Amino acid sequence: MKPQTSKTFRLAPTVVPTFVLACATLAPGMTHADQPTALAPAANVLLISIDGMHEEDLSRYVAVHPTSALAALARHGVMYRNALTPTPSDSFPGMVALISGASPVSSGVYYDDSFDRRLVRAGANCGNATVRGAEVVFDDSIDLDPKRIDGGGAINAERLPRDPARHCAPVYPHNYMRVNTVFEVVRAAGGRTAWADKHLAYDFVHGPSGKGVDDLYTPEIAAVGEKLAAFPAYDNLKVDALLKQIDGRDATGSATPGVPRLFGMNFQQLSVAQKSGDGYRDAHATPGAAIGAALDQIDGSLQRVLDALAARHLDTSTLVVIAAKHGQSPIAPGQLRRIDGKRVLDVVGQSAPDALAKATLDDVGLLWLKQPKFTQAIVNGLRANAEALGIEHVYAGNDMPAGWGRVGRDSRVPDIAIETKHGVIYTHGSKVAEHGGFHDDDRHVALLFSRPDIQAKEIDAPVSTRQVAPTLLRALALKPTALDAVRREGTTSLPGLNFGKGTD
């Protein structure tokens, strides 16, 4: 197995003024204490995923904007300077990590566009054993109408793969989850839950029960198009829903069930800006205009949320968590190398004709084959063309990334995984960054836990975003061991936060 490496990013003194660097390294009041005093349990937990936000984005913004909402949170928070997502660093496995504590080996979720050898494709006859193996795509394509902001009101079951083990029933995203979520644990304990995200396919946050989230709001991102100017308003749909929930109403504002005990949303604007033509200016994550505007917009929305919490006298009892499902790669514009994914598929076809069942290509390559006997020939072909295809490492067989299952034991694990060279994106378009891969730019993300009574500190030790889930439960005085992934993988709570005893 190729060793997994990580780096700890720090803003360069030649790029950031000395006084700003000092603030970014250690904000006023921050310490490096390892033994925090016991904290009272939180009445509510608010989880915010700023998709695409790197640790360096958060550190820089806090340093340069000391009066910002993010800086206010950092002054009373634990900032994790070396938090890494699981691999692959895609939206689905990244979100699964945050809410379940699971790696793909436990969750079975490798990507939002994947394959399962046990399922049957949408529209096929489950009684025909020759059609086993189905593409599993959980994005806007499963909406009744992806051009509408409500996705047409429901998921179209006719576009879902079928499960022979469940009488050929359609496989909804929540059915695909193999582990439970923090939402399910909180609901089982009598707490109300809510979440807002970008696709109807985020039905998977319900967990296997299909009932984890009381108030799930999923305005369809595909309906707003691709113009960056549309995304502040899109994100603010979710912010407005969040404000209603803080006020004790549901996302529509039509009912008054009370403030959720666990709730939150994702911001999408930064991720879109990072992929635009005006991304980062240099390797030190100096933001271009689009990224700077996105961060300002998000911070302004966060201030609205914090003001609403204060107005309802919920600010002192609500734990606010700033996280990210994934980062974005590459940060340095000069390291960008676009390669048409068709070139990868051509090599696969030449190495073993008609062997490919499914390929997913972003800044990672995931290949599912019709038969495992084709694996070695394709691995050899990819390695022989590694330089032309921008390949750093080819995983197969027993050489799979940490946290993945093995072919033959897991019907969903890819036969082959391609780790690209840093900066390589498989695309024929104009995007300047992508996520899904193995590099730090994909995986090294922002992570901050904040509440007014928390002493500000930084944690430099490596942590995983999988550790967020058990920490959320501990903060709510619930047992982390109620999570399947905690029991199966031994996922631990994050260091530096002590919410008392009796919650193991």
Side-chain angles (χ1 to χ4, degrees), residues 436-450:
F438 295 81
H439 296 288
D440 272 16
D441 290 0
D442 288 282
R443 301 184 59 208
H444 189 190
V445 294
L447 186 58
L448 170 66
F449 279 64
S450 179

Side-chain angles (χ1 to χ4, degrees), residues 335-412:
Q335 292 178 326
L336 173 64
R337 180 186 174 192
R338 300 187 188 95
I339 296 176
D340 193 331
K342 185 178 183 299
R343 296 173 63 184
V344 176
L345 302 183
D346 288 343
V347 169
V348 171
Q350 293 161 9
S351 302
D354 196 33
L356 186 65
K358 168 66 182 173
T360 293
L361 302 172
D362 283 324
D363 68 338
V364 66
L366 305 178
L367 308 177
W368 289 264
L369 308 180
K370 295 178 181 178
Q371 296 288 338
K373 65 182 181 181
F374 300 122
T375 301
Q376 194 57 54
I378 294 173
V379 169
N380 292 343
L382 292 171
R383 288 174 176 165
N385 292 273
E387 185 57 39
L389 298 178
I391 294 175
E392 178 72 25
H393 187 76
V394 180
Y395 298 89
N398 292 325
D399 174 32
M400 277 294 178
W404 288 31
R406 298 293 178 264
V407 177
R409 301 178 188 174
D410 185 342
S411 63
R412 301 177 186 175

Side-chain angles (χ1 to χ4, degrees), residues 21-247:
L21 179 63
C23 292
T25 303
L26 197 62
M30 283 191 173
T31 72
H32 293 277
D34 295 322
Q35 300 296 327
T37 57
L39 297 166
N44 311 92
V45 170
L46 175 61
L47 174 63
I48 303 290
S49 175
I50 305 176
D51 293 5
M53 179 173 264
H54 303 101
E55 185 275 334
E56 46 266 55
D57 292 319
L58 177 58
S59 294
R60 179 186 293 273
Y61 199 86
V62 166
V64 177
H65 301 85
T67 62
S68 65
L70 285 169
L73 290 169
R75 280 194 291 273
H76 296 281
V78 178
M79 187 181 294
Y80 296 90
R81 301 297 298 269
N82 199 8
L84 299 174
T85 71
T87 55
S89 187
D90 182 53
S91 299
F92 263 42
M95 183 64 185
V96 168
L98 289 171
I99 64 172
S100 75
S103 304
V105 67
S106 294
S107 70
V109 178
Y110 288 86
Y111 227 75
D112 61 1
D113 186 359
S114 63
F115 191 85
D116 191 322
R117 300 174 186 86
R118 293 182 181 177
L119 300 181
V120 171
R121 63 180 174 82
N125 180 1
C126 290
N128 185 350
T130 63
V131 297
R132 290 291 180 93
E135 183 179 26
V136 181
V137 183
F138 289 145
D139 58 16
D140 59 287
S141 65
I142 66 171
D143 296 354
L144 283 174
D145 185 354
K147 294 181 180 180
R148 287 174 48 180
I149 197 67
D150 68 349
I155 290 173
N156 186 348
E158 297 301 316
R159 297 177 183 172
L160 298 175
R162 304 282 162 161
D163 187 356
R166 295 192 305 120
H167 309 289
C168 212
V171 180
Y172 284 84
H174 73 265
N175 298 131
Y176 206 63
M177 285 281 285
R178 291 174 175 167
V179 293
N180 66 345
T181 72
V182 288
F183 295 112
E184 289 174 297
V185 176
V186 171
R187 279 209 71 188
R192 182 171 173 78
T193 60
W195 184 254
D197 221 302
K198 64 181 179 178
H199 292 307
L200 271 63
Y202 274 77
D203 160 86
F204 80 85
V205 302
H206 280 300
S209 71
K211 301 177 181 179
V213 180
D214 291 286
D215 189 6
L216 181 61
Y217 178 55
T218 52
E220 178 52 65
I221 192 171
V224 305
E226 298 182 356
K227 292 184 178 180
L228 185 57
F231 285 90
Y234 169 75
D235 275 346
N236 276 325
L237 289 174
K238 291 172 284 184
V239 174
D240 290 342
L242 197 61
L243 295 176
K244 292 183 180 76
Q245 291 159 353
I246 292 171
D247 196 40

